[in-house]
Amino acid sequence: MELLELIKEYSKKCSENNEPGHDFNHILRVRKLALEIASHYEVDRMLLESLVYLHDIEDKKLNKGESVLLFLDSVNAPSDLKEKILNTLPYLSFSKYKYLPDEVLLEGKIVSDADRIDAIGAIGIARAFSYGGSHNRSFSDTLEHFDEKLLILDKCLSLVESKQIAKKRMIVLQDFYDEFKKENEL
Ligand code: ADP
Ligand code: NI
C-alpha cells in the first residue's frame, strides 16, 4: 500500500472510538478545508495530508497512548518527511499555541487553520456539545468553551484565506450563542 494510504488507515483506526466531535469525519472535514486553503499556495501535498491525518493522534484528551514517531518508523517513512511531521505536530494545539509562530511550515499553518475552522460554524457547535456531553458537562459549562475559545478563533487563524472561510461560520456561532443565552434565561 502507498505510504499516504497507510497513514490514512492508521488515522482511521485511531479515531474509531472517539466521541462524534473527534471521529474520522472530523479528519475528513479538516482534509477538505486544508485542500481548499492550500489551493491558493504551492504546498507539499504529502506533508499536508500526513499532518491532517496525524494531527489528533497524540492529543491528551483523546488519550490512546499512540506514538506517531513509532508509527512512522513502522511504515518506513522517509526521514525528511518524518522530521517535518514531528517538528510541526506540536504546533497543532490551540491550548499550547493560540497564535502560531511565523517559522511554522506553511503546511502546518494550513492544517492548524483547517482544524480551527472545523471548531466553528454549525459543525463547531455540534462538536462542542458532543465533547461536553461525553464529559458529562452541563450546557452552561460547554457555553464557557465558546467564551474561552470558539468566539475568538477567527482572530487566531494564520492565513487570510482561512479568515475568509471563517467569516460566515463566526456569524453562525455568535447568533447561536446569543439566542442560546436568551432562551436559557430562567
Ligand atoms: P487543541 O486540541 O487544538 O488544543 P481543543 O482540544 O481545545 O484544541 O479543541 C478541539 C475541539 O474539542 C474543540 O473545537 C471543541 O469542539 C472540543 N472541545 C475541547 N475542549 C472543550 C470543552 N471544554 N468544551 C466543549 N468542547 C471542547
Ligand atoms: Ni482536530
Side-chain angles (χ1 to χ4, degrees):
M1 220 193 294
E2 192 200 332
L3 179 58
L4 190 58
E5 209 42 44
L6 291 168
I7 295 175
K8 179 181 176 182
E9 286 308 308
Y10 175 67
S11 171
K12 195 171 177 182
K13 187 180 84 74
C14 289
S15 57
E16 247 163 27
N17 297 315
N18 292 351
E19 48 86 23
H22 283 92
D23 64 10
F24 192 59
N25 284 326
H26 162 61
I27 304 294
L28 294 179
R29 287 190 303 268
V30 171
R31 177 178 181 273
K32 186 177 169 191
L33 286 162
L35 292 179
E36 185 181 338
I37 302 164
S39 70
H40 298 273
Y41 299 90
E42 287 253 331
V43 298
D44 175 343
R45 176 84 178 242
M46 181 68 192
L47 173 61
L48 183 81
E49 293 211 44
S50 300
L51 289 171
V52 166
Y53 289 130
L54 300 171
H55 81 270
D56 274 337
I57 302 278
E58 291 190 16
D59 188 320
K60 296 273 182 304
K61 287 188 303 311
L62 305 171
N63 229 348
K64 284 177 302 278
E66 289 285 340
S67 158
V68 172
L69 168 64
L70 291 182
F71 165 71
L72 290 173
D73 282 342
S74 76
V75 292
N76 294 317
S79 59
D80 60 331
L81 176 70
K82 188 176 111 177
E83 201 172 299
K84 283 180 183 164
I85 293 173
L86 294 174
N87 286 337
T88 306
L89 282 179
Y91 292 110
L92 303 186
S93 158
F94 181 80
S95 39
K96 292 199 196 100
Y97 295 96
K98 218 162 162 181
Y99 301 97
L100 262 63
D102 234 17
E103 67 266 22
V104 176
L105 295 175
L106 173 62
E107 290 80 358
K109 288 179 178 151
I110 293 174
V111 176
S112 169
D113 281 2
D115 193 26
R116 289 169 183 198
I117 292 171
D118 200 52
I120 57 178
I123 288 282
I125 296 167
R127 292 184 70 215
F129 283 97
S130 170
Y131 184 95
S134 75
H135 288 76
N136 273 325
R137 303 232 171 98
S138 66
F139 284 167
S140 304
D141 280 350
T142 296
L143 221 59
E144 275 178 28
H145 186 64
F146 282 62
D147 292 311
E148 287 159 7
K149 175 179 174 186
L150 305 186
L151 290 169
I152 55 155
L153 262 189
D154 59 329
K155 306 278 180 293
C156 308
L157 298 171
S158 298
L159 304 165
V160 284
E161 293 77 9
S162 313
K163 290 179 189 167
Q164 194 58 38
I165 299 172
K167 265 187 194 162
K168 185 175 171 207
R169 293 179 189 228
M170 290 305 292
I171 295 170
V172 171
L173 203 65
Q174 187 69 57
D175 283 353
F176 170 84
Y177 179 89
D178 296 340
E179 180 65 19
F180 189 105
K181 289 252 159 161
K182 235 184 274 170
E183 292 180 18
N184 203 33
E185 276 167 21
L186 301 175

